[in-house]
Amino acid sequence: MKKVLSMLLMISLATFMSCKGEQGDTGPAGPAGQNGQNGQDGNANIKTFTTTVSSSNWVEILDDYSEAQVNVPIITSDIVNSGLVMVYMQSGSSWTAWPYAVAFDTYTEAFSFTFATGSVTLRDISNDNIPIEPTGPLRVIAATADGMVRYPDLDWYNYEAVMNALQLAD
């Protein structure tokens, strides 16, 4: 008898729980969205920053070594920890990726950089004790690890290839 009562109780509960009430009235319409033109798809994982380096940015550290500190707000701690920072300096109509070195007849000039959250430090070392301390437009590209994954075969040292792949205006 207990089994029969238990079964009836379970069937009653199942029937009661599966019942639905009447559907309520439709609610008011939400606010209308704004219509506009769609913009170009971007990549939140890769950002660019352009500034100008002047002679006043450069500080002589040693006779053959100078540094220039540049504020670059696009460099986040996430990029410092696992991303990529590329520096390009414009000379005439071309852009050169850093680091690089130039061998002259009697000396060599080497350009490099380091980066931290919010800044890039440019370095110029010359074995003739007269660093060139380049000035002019500087472009920094900062990519998160996800941003780098989107472009696995991109030659980040080739400025033209980077600008084309990222569809950036020069």
Side-chain angles (χ1 to χ4, degrees):
M1 181 78 171
K2 273 186 172 180
K3 277 187 176 181
V4 173
L5 284 175
S6 294
M7 289 277 267
L8 285 173
L9 181 61
M10 286 176 47
I11 291 171
S12 298
L13 282 174
T15 304
F16 177 73
M17 298 296 276
S18 65
C19 294
K20 293 182 180 178
E22 290 183 30
Q23 183 172 346
D25 294 335
T26 302
Q34 294 181 348
N35 289 329
Q37 290 183 317
N38 289 335
Q40 179 180 347
D41 288 344
N43 185 349
N45 300 318
I46 300 175
K47 297 185 187 239
T48 63
F49 179 78
T50 304
T51 190
T52 300
V53 177
S54 68
S55 58
S56 65
N57 291 107
W58 288 97
V59 175
E60 185 178 301
I61 306 299
L62 299 169
D63 287 342
D64 62 348
Y65 174 58
S66 294
E67 287 186 348
Q69 183 85 21
V70 181
N71 292 329
V72 183
I74 63 170
I75 301 176
T76 63
S77 60
D78 185 37
I79 289 169
V80 170
N81 292 331
S82 61
L84 167 78
V85 173
M86 287 300 301
V87 169
Y88 307 90
M89 190 117 192
Q90 188 176 32
S91 176
S93 63
S94 65
W95 291 83
T96 302
W98 286 39
Y100 79 101
V102 180
F104 296 98
D105 289 338
T106 58
Y107 70 98
T108 302
E109 196 88 19
F111 305 96
S112 63
F113 71 95
T114 58
F115 59 92
T117 301
S119 69
V120 166
T121 301
L122 304 175
R123 294 193 168 85
D124 179 3
I125 299 173
S126 176
N127 65 0
D128 73 344
N129 293 338
I130 307 170
I132 294 172
E133 300 176 351
T135 59
L138 178 84
R139 178 162 285 169
V140 178
I141 295 180
T144 63
D146 291 337
M148 291 186 306
V149 168
R150 286 187 69 175
Y151 301 95
D153 298 324
L154 182 58
D155 178 2
W156 291 93
Y157 287 95
N158 181 332
Y159 179 79
E160 306 278 327
V162 171
M163 296 306 286
N164 289 334
L166 301 180
Q167 298 178 352
L168 300 173
D170 202 16

